[in-house]
Amino acid sequence: MKTVLMIAYHFPPLAGSSGIQRTLRFVQHLPALGWRPIVLTADPRAYERTSPDLLDDVPAATVVRRAFALDTARHLNIQGRYMGWMARPDRWISWRFDAVRQGMQLVKEFKPDAIWSTYPIATAHVIGQQLHKKTGLPWVADFRDPMAQDGYPADPDTWRSYQRIEQEAVEDASRSVFTTPGAAQMYRERYPQAASRITVLENGYDEESFANAVAAPASPLAGDQPVVLLHSGIVYPSERDPTQLFAALQRLRAAGDLQPAQLRIRFRASAHDDLLAGLASQYGVQDFIELCPSVPYREALAEMLSVDALLVMQASNCNAQIPAKIYEYLRAGRPILGLTDPLGDTAGVLRGAGLDAMARIDSVDEIAALLPRFVAAVRAQAVRQPDPAAVRNASRQGRSKAFADLLAEVVGSH
């Protein structure tokens, strides 16, 4: 059995991020595919929120080392302020020092065949590159999504640090991995000299987690029940801006085309409830909206399985990104409403699963035209369901097989 050293900030008991699932499910499935994962992550003190609900999903035999790390914003501020360089490229830069030290110990102790580091915490790639340079081991840089983008990060110094880290990673890593075709193509064009070493490994869903999610079976709606449309997860103010959705609800209500008795949009664990409440009040659509707190992971899956329909939002400024939650939506087998750019990768996933209930997230007209038809079709049980073949292809087990093949290729060519 070969060994891979996996550097990941997002790992249990961190709570509130779907990004945990990628590393966690690879750790679960890799041993059956001939790879032993060794995990180098951050001390839980660095996490803003923790929850024990996924700790039992980490196989008991897995070696997990937690390096000393602080959150600059919480641990190193003086009267609520801190110097910008102390959080560049991110607030967890302090993680790198003990992580490199412990990483070298893990290399000496377990003699891994490859190193893997995963964004969206850029410090993970800083650690991965340092360990790669010190050991000469092949390195896979898992970007997931693009790093330095137009206008992101907003701070120019942080943007430059992102750009430097991504450039060095793409140049030094044996493979650079992205979760969407659009992101991979963007980076092939940005770094043509490394184009042959840039590849796609999408996110997915975990079948075992769904098997253990206890859900009330979805049942036909009674005449006096509203359709419950669930958005599960973070509502980013720019990337998933719901303003035009709320404006469309206002228009539909005023025209008598849709009423709160017919539709309830539930935002679960949005992380921006104040924004949503403010928009609902501004447009006078509070009766359409439910704001609900986060719940343990399997409870969130159970909710997806039991609601009437699911909502995915992704703006055109994220056309090269796909919300990880969309694969769980597909597995849940409920109708999906997509508010996204038809030219983006998110729309591509929906179309690939045979789904066509989509409108641009920034178009009040398109949303207002789609919503009443979608609600009526859900009530009549006349909405297309995700294609079973597309659902099977999105399993984490299949993604892990692709990852194991990638690691074997990297090690074999090193």
Side-chain angles (χ1 to χ4, degrees), residues 357-372:
M358 283 182 275
R360 289 175 173 83
I361 192 173
D362 58 356
S363 172
V364 176
D365 291 342
E366 289 189 17
I367 297 171
L370 175 62
L371 262 181

Side-chain angles (χ1 to χ4, degrees), residues 71-84 86-87:
D71 177 351
T72 298
R74 290 185 296 122
H75 299 128
L76 299 176
N77 76 80
I78 299 175
Q79 296 183 336
R81 300 175 65 85
Y82 54 88
M83 301 295 290
M86 299 171 65

Side-chain angles (χ1 to χ4, degrees), residues 28-348:
Q28 282 186 314
H29 295 300
L30 280 176
L33 299 166
W35 283 88
R36 174 177 61 168
I38 305 295
V39 179
L40 176 60
T41 187
D43 188 285
R45 82 182 71 198
Y47 299 151
E48 289 186 81
R49 292 198 303 114
T50 62
S51 172
D53 67 298
L54 290 176
L55 284 171
D56 288 344
D57 286 13
V58 182
T62 306
V63 174
V64 180
R65 294 284 170 84
R66 302 184 184 275
F68 176 83
L70 299 173
D71 177 351
T72 298
R74 290 185 296 122
H75 299 128
L76 299 176
N77 76 80
I78 299 175
Q79 296 183 336
R81 300 175 65 85
Y82 54 88
M83 301 295 290
W85 62 265
M86 299 171 65
R88 196 171 292 132
D90 51 61
R91 289 159 36 196
W92 299 274
I93 185 60
S94 59
W95 178 36
R96 67 182 287 191
F97 302 106
D98 192 43
V100 171
R101 183 185 68 82
Q102 293 213 38
M104 290 301 295
Q105 291 179 346
L106 289 168
V107 169
K108 182 177 181 181
E109 187 174 353
F110 295 99
K111 298 177 173 55
D113 300 273
I115 297 169
W116 178 85
S117 62
T118 186
Y119 181 71
I121 299 302
T123 295
H125 283 341
V126 175
I127 297 164
Q129 184 190 36
Q130 289 195 13
L131 291 174
H132 161 69
K133 286 186 175 297
K134 287 176 177 288
T135 64
L137 290 169
W139 170 35
V140 176
D142 184 47
F143 282 86
R144 307 193 192 194
D145 295 326
M147 283 186 63
Q149 304 173 59
D150 290 341
Y152 177 84
D155 173 65
D157 290 332
T158 303
W159 188 94
R160 283 189 287 271
S161 73
Y162 268 45
Q163 197 277 331
R164 176 182 54 79
I165 291 167
E166 76 167 35
Q167 180 177 349
E168 292 178 354
V170 171
E171 291 176 351
D172 289 354
S174 300
R175 293 291 186 279
S176 296
V177 179
F178 296 86
T179 58
T180 73
Q185 184 58 32
M186 178 191 303
Y187 273 70
R188 291 187 188 110
E189 294 172 1
R190 187 178 295 180
Y191 302 103
Q193 72 280 11
S196 64
R197 294 183 282 112
I198 293 173
T199 190
V200 176
L201 182 56
E202 292 184 47
N203 284 310
Y205 69 88
D206 182 56
E207 182 59 39
E208 291 180 2
S209 295
F210 272 93
N212 293 321
V214 180
S219 57
L221 284 159
D224 59 349
Q225 289 180 302
V227 167
V228 176
L229 178 62
L230 170 69
H231 183 278
S232 186
I234 297 175
V235 176
Y236 296 103
S238 171
E239 296 87 343
R240 298 173 190 170
D241 180 6
T243 300
Q244 307 311 316
L245 169 61
F246 284 56
L249 289 171
Q250 180 189 50
R251 179 188 297 182
L252 290 166
R253 184 178 199 172
D257 293 329
L258 198 61
Q259 300 299 326
Q262 298 168 285
L263 174 66
R264 194 67 45 83
I265 303 178
R266 179 181 301 166
F267 291 94
R268 171 71 66 186
S270 77
H272 293 282
D273 282 1
D274 290 346
L275 168 69
L276 296 173
L279 286 172
S281 177
Q282 177 183 341
Y283 289 97
V285 295
Q286 300 97 316
D287 293 346
F288 282 100
I289 306 302
E290 293 180 6
L291 303 178
C292 301
S294 62
V295 293
Y297 179 62
R298 285 185 175 81
E299 289 184 29
L301 297 184
E303 184 175 38
M304 292 179 204
L305 289 164
S306 60
V307 295
D308 303 308
L310 299 162
L311 172 64
V312 61
M313 301 189 298
Q314 194 81 328
S316 59
N317 60 2
C318 289
N319 273 358
Q321 299 177 35
I322 300 170
K325 194 72 66 179
I326 201 170
Y327 303 99
E328 293 165 348
Y329 278 13
L330 292 175
R331 170 57 181 82
R334 309 305 299 144
I336 299 175
L337 176 68
L339 300 184
T340 190
D341 187 334
L343 300 179
D345 285 343
T346 296

Side-chain angles (χ1 to χ4, degrees), residues 370-388:
L370 175 62
L371 262 181
R373 297 200 310 269
F374 182 79
V375 169
V378 170
R379 186 172 295 280
Q381 296 184 300
V383 182
R384 288 185 181 179
Q385 301 294 321
D387 177 66

